[in-house]
Amino acid sequence: MYRHILALQQVSRRTFVSTARRQVENKVPEKQKVFQEDNGMPVHLKGGTSDALLYRTTMALTILGAGYVVYELVKAAFPQKKN
């Protein structure tokens, strides 16, 4: 039993304490230049095609959701007559 606890302690120590760290390049200054330049584009579209796609998808879902809400409200306001 004690052997299992020691093994678990050793495994947990290895996962949290590591000497091999991956060096990550700092990309913040590059992104700041892109987003702060004055080119007439709105900020939410300066990220490229992925931002434009995300923006259009969000707008489409918002419009469809609003239309569905109006449809359900109209349907609830004029209930169907039962025969």
Side-chain angles (χ1 to χ4, degrees), residues 35-49:
F35 282 94
Q36 288 178 354
E37 71 182 37
D38 188 20
N39 57 1
M41 288 180 67
V43 174
H44 59 273
L45 296 177
K46 285 187 177 183
T49 55

Side-chain angles (χ1 to χ4, degrees), residues 21-36:
R21 293 191 179 179
R22 202 169 45 162
Q23 294 294 326
V24 179
E25 182 185 346
N26 187 7
K27 297 179 183 177
V28 173
E30 298 169 13
K31 293 287 185 181
Q32 282 178 339
K33 287 179 187 175
V34 170
F35 282 94
Q36 288 178 354

